[in-house]
Amino acid sequence: MANPGPFKTLQIFVVNSNGTGMKQLTNNTGSNLVPSINGNGTLIVFYSNMGSAYQIYKIKSDGTGLTPLTSTTNAVNTYPAVSSDGSRVVFESNRTGIMELYSMYSNGSRLTELTTNNGIHEHASISSDGKLIAFDSNATMVGNREIFLVDSNGTGLHQLTSKPGDNANPVISGNGKYVAFQSNSTGHSEIWLIGTDGSGLRQLTFDAVDDLLPSINYDGSVIVYQTTINGYSQIMVVNTSTGEIDQLTNNQDNNFSPSIDGTGSHVAFQGNVAGFTQLFLAIQVSGTVGGASIPANRFALLAPFLVTAAVVVLIGGVFLYAQHWCKTDSQAFPIDILHRYLNNLARIRLHRSKRRNNSAL
């Protein structure tokens, strides 16, 4: 198809959590998307069409060691997530004709298909040791989205939740004991928590607006999420033991896509400043409403055509993100990837579109 618009390339960058040391890791004419970083900040995986078809790549945080992990000719491989210990990668691929979830070792070996049906399986989250994966899928008897768990070796696939409405965007705690997710079973999207053994299901938020995109720390004691207050998207934090909820941001700009580190002491998020999207780090996570935030990147203020476009990850004191770069060529953008890409951006800024399929596992 012809290029549908003036698309920009996206390149992968890292920056220290104190705002210093910004480094560009990729430099190609493709789009490099959805970076995921391991626990000590040394390994990054992402997907890119730098070689035409979308493949999974890895690169070291010093910019060396760029290596493709997948190699398919008539399929796309997208949305990777690497475990904190760097041992495993989970991703999506349509190599069988439909989009399924796969896992592999971070050297590209031991490729394992995790799902085998025509449902829509998304938002995979992997435990720190790479052994357990949570995801949402509409491959249920009633077609609504539910949370599923599967071992990274492909065994133990089972449905974790069974609630009315859609239950989506699961995040598994680093220790593999808890899953936080959003559910609209009460009429609005709220944040819920459940043990990976199926026990302890409970609702953590009770709002008249949608609470979205949870992120959980290593032991499951703290969850951050985004909500809407007075017409603006703000970042909130909830203590899962006490139920106490604090407002982390409080301004007349939109703040979204929070990501909490394993210790629960820092939150990275995106925020609009003077019409541009910036990266921020919250250094005061609980105890006081309106935690202190420091900008992690002011580069966008200097370039009117530069905006961040990927969920920020903060692990090991390193921010990882992708940025749009203006693109002058007319490289075609596959329609299925275009659709998923635009949907992902919409989900990050507002909430993910609901898609239904009546297939069963």
Side-chain angles (χ1 to χ4, degrees):
M1 60 172 287
N3 186 20
F7 283 96
K8 306 171 179 67
T9 64
L10 290 116
Q11 305 299 334
I12 306 299
F13 288 73
V14 292
V15 63
N16 295 325
S17 58
N18 63 3
T20 65
M22 185 172 71
K23 180 180 180 62
Q24 183 174 345
L25 300 184
T26 62
N27 185 14
N28 54 66
T29 59
S31 287
N32 306 276
L33 303 165
V34 189
S36 175
I37 193 169
N38 71 334
N40 62 13
T42 59
L43 178 66
I44 296 144
V45 297
F46 61 99
Y47 75 93
S48 174
N49 65 345
M50 66 176 77
S52 67
Y54 279 89
Q55 306 292 347
I56 307 299
Y57 290 83
K58 69 176 180 179
I59 192 171
K60 295 179 180 178
S61 56
D62 62 4
T64 65
L66 178 65
T67 305
L69 297 181
T70 62
S71 179
T72 53
T73 55
N74 297 312
V76 296
N77 307 273
T78 60
Y79 294 92
V82 65
S83 60
S84 182
D85 67 3
S87 64
R88 297 265 188 169
V89 177
V90 59
F91 65 100
E92 301 176 25
S93 178
N94 66 350
R95 61 187 62 203
T96 63
I98 56 178
M99 199 66 76
E100 302 284 2
L101 291 180
Y102 292 80
S103 73
M104 60 183 170
Y105 285 116
S106 56
N107 63 4
S109 66
R110 297 286 185 92
L111 180 69
T112 302
E113 187 174 3
L114 302 178
T115 58
T116 55
N117 56 71
N118 61 354
I120 299 174
H121 321 292
E122 295 181 306
H123 310 126
S125 176
I126 189 168
S127 62
S128 290
D129 60 7
K131 293 182 179 180
L132 190 60
I133 295 165
F135 64 96
D136 63 62
S137 174
N138 66 352
T140 62
M141 294 299 294
V142 295
N144 64 302
R145 302 199 71 81
E146 297 288 358
I147 310 302
F148 290 79
L149 290 178
V150 63
D151 294 335
S152 57
N153 63 7
T155 64
L157 175 65
H158 66 282
Q159 185 173 330
L160 185 64
T161 63
S162 181
K163 293 173 56 58
D166 284 328
N167 308 281
N169 286 315
V171 284
I172 191 168
S173 61
N175 62 10
K177 294 183 178 181
Y178 303 98
V179 174
F181 62 98
Q182 65 187 57
S183 174
N184 64 2
S185 58
T186 62
H188 292 281
S189 182
E190 306 285 2
I191 304 302
W192 292 68
L193 184 70
I194 189 173
T196 52
D197 60 0
S199 66
L201 175 67
R202 57 196 174 103
Q203 184 176 344
L204 297 177
T205 65
F206 301 83
D207 294 322
V209 295
D210 287 337
D211 300 325
L212 305 166
L213 302 179
S215 177
I216 192 170
N217 70 332
Y218 179 83
D219 63 8
S221 61
V222 181
I223 296 170
V224 295
Y225 61 96
Q226 72 179 58
T227 193
T228 301
I229 298 176
N230 297 325
Y232 294 97
S233 180
Q234 304 291 353
I235 307 301
M236 311 293 287
V237 57
V238 55
N239 183 309
T240 60
S241 296
T242 66
E244 176 187 359
I245 297 177
D246 290 326
Q247 185 176 341
L248 200 59
T249 63
N250 185 15
N251 52 50
Q252 293 185 343
D253 284 302
N254 289 313
N255 308 277
F256 45 90
S257 301
S259 179
I260 194 167
D261 69 359
T263 66
S265 58
H266 300 83
V267 175
F269 61 95
Q270 294 176 250
N272 292 331
V273 178
F276 299 100
T277 304
Q278 303 277 22
L279 305 184
F280 286 83
L281 173 65
I283 58 176
Q284 181 180 330
V285 174
S286 63
T288 302
V289 173
S293 299
I294 58 173
N297 172 29
R298 294 187 178 277
F299 190 61
L301 290 175
L302 306 177
F305 299 106
L306 187 64
V307 292
T308 54
V311 175
V312 180
V313 178
L314 171 65
I315 302 178
V318 177
F319 280 121
L320 180 64
Y321 61 99
Q323 287 184 320
H324 279 305
W325 284 98
C326 284
K327 182 176 174 183
T328 57
D329 70 336
S330 58
Q331 179 180 359
F333 205 78
I335 187 63
D336 57 339
I337 292 298
L338 170 63
H339 177 70
R340 293 171 63 79
Y341 173 67
L342 294 178
N343 274 352
N344 189 52
L345 293 185
R347 179 180 64 84
I348 289 173
R349 286 164 173 78
L350 298 172
H351 56 82
R352 59 176 304 278
S353 299
K354 303 296 187 295
R355 290 177 291 177
R356 297 187 177 275
N357 187 292
N358 291 322
S359 302
L361 283 172

